[in-house]
Amino acid sequence: MLVGMDRTACARPELDALLTGRDIMTDPYPIYARLRDEAPLLWSDAWNSWIVSRYDDVVDSLRDRDSLSNERRQEVQFAAMPQPESAQVGPLRHYFAQKDIIGSDPPDHTRMRSTVQRVFTPRSIEALEGRIQSLVRARITEAIGSAKSWDFVGEVAHPVPVIVIAELLGAPPQDRNLFRRWSAAILGFQGSGRTELDRALVAQSNLLEMFDYMSSIIRDRKRRPANDLISALLEAETDGHGISRDELLATCNTLLTAGHETTTNLLGNVIHQLLSDREQWELVRAEPSFTAAAVEEALRFDAPKQRNFRRVKQTHRFRDAQLGEGDMVFQLIGSANRDPRHFHDADHFNIRRTQRDHVAFGSGIHFCLGAPLARLEARVVVEALVGMVPNLEAVTGGLRWQERPQFRGPGALWVQ
């Protein structure tokens, strides 16, 4: 039988209130601990969703292809909008209703992923290392030459992933600031979990501007193919099993927002943690083999993307509750990666840790395609910093966390 506890039985107002408080922006982990211990499957009125917080439950729900769907996931964010406001953001709602490599299920997801995967091969990622090294060293040299103290996020963690993505897509280098603005505006709505009309209108305006820009590049690449991602995807399209123009535009947005935002957060998190524990910074300096380990531990300890979400496509029982068709399920990635039921000494950042089965990049068929690129960029940045600025230290009071609960990373990290 499907019968299980309903929303009311799984609601905890005192815990639900924590999900919208300021503390979840600056330090969500005590809140996650309470959720795991007191309500591992919580119905949240604040998020209008089910909240899953333990490692095993998060992994199971990420891999559930039968009962959970990646399609039409953004509907919950628009559902709370009054009809007059919702009508003003029709193009934005239309976009989020489209399928892309993330917001789709098989067979569409299989088709699109196989197309994009042709571009993100291990060999193609390895070929980017020299360019990324040159870019990172140039950014660090400029930063340390301009002032005694500088914002690592603004000078390195933010621009490097944007430039890499822009170059992959074939955009001129001088346009990278447009990419930064578009990404910030779109995720300012999408990653907030809120339904304010002002945020939605800003996101819509920037999304349409980006689509016009990318459409121009697409038209040009159809006439004159180049050595970039757009040309490769267009070539794959010609075999009849690739991706449509709308899917291509949606994929460009996904690559921009997901690829840039998560990598920026990863860079900020790994440097913040290493500078917070001088012993581990020095260990990376002395033993370069620990660089990759530091990146993996940062992914686990402070997941760049803190939560994922799915739509329930058929009523089913999950643990002791009945999840209804159309309900939303939020998987707390950041909580799963700190679950002491799975990770020993989970709240301790330890680059000597050998257990690497975190879910920072997801799990199952939607495991992040850009994971190798994010890992490469993070490794190059750590190697460059410990080599070029071995005495780097954090400025007291120079850390500011960004205020978006879906993501975890410094908005500013001043160093000297």
Side-chain angles (χ1 to χ4, degrees), residues 235-247:
E235 181 180 354
E237 179 188 19
T238 61
D239 65 8
H241 300 285
I243 57 180
S244 68
R245 179 182 176 278
D246 286 344
E247 290 169 345

Side-chain angles (χ1 to χ4, degrees), residues 24 36 58 60 86 91 98 102 110 114 162 164 182 184 209 249 298 306 313 322 333 337 380 401 409:
I24 202 168
R36 290 192 303 265
V58 167
D60 286 349
S86 180
Q98 302 304 305
I102 293 180
T110 307
S114 64
V162 171
V164 171
W182 293 333
E209 184 181 332
L249 285 172
Q306 287 280 295
K313 62 182 181 182
Q322 180 169 298
I333 303 295
N337 285 345
V380 168
W401 293 103

Side-chain angles (χ1 to χ4, degrees), residues 111-122:
R111 170 178 53 82
M112 283 187 275
R113 186 179 179 95
S114 64
T115 300
V116 178
Q117 205 159 19
R118 299 181 194 179
V119 181
F120 282 88
T121 63

Side-chain angles (χ1 to χ4, degrees), residues 122-131 376:
R123 179 176 295 180
S124 65
I125 298 301
E126 287 176 14
L128 295 172
E129 183 166 357
R131 168 57 182 150
L376 172 61

Side-chain angles (χ1 to χ4, degrees), residues 72 74-75 78 86-100 204 207-208 211 245-247 249-250:
R72 296 162 44 206
Q74 213 68 33
E75 288 180 356
F78 293 108
S86 180
Q88 294 183 56
V89 291
L92 189 65
R93 289 189 292 106
H94 175 75
Y95 162 71
F96 282 123
Q98 302 304 305
K99 297 176 182 179
D100 66 0
Q204 177 172 270
L207 184 73
L208 293 176
F211 280 175
R245 179 182 176 278
D246 286 344
E247 290 169 345
L249 285 172

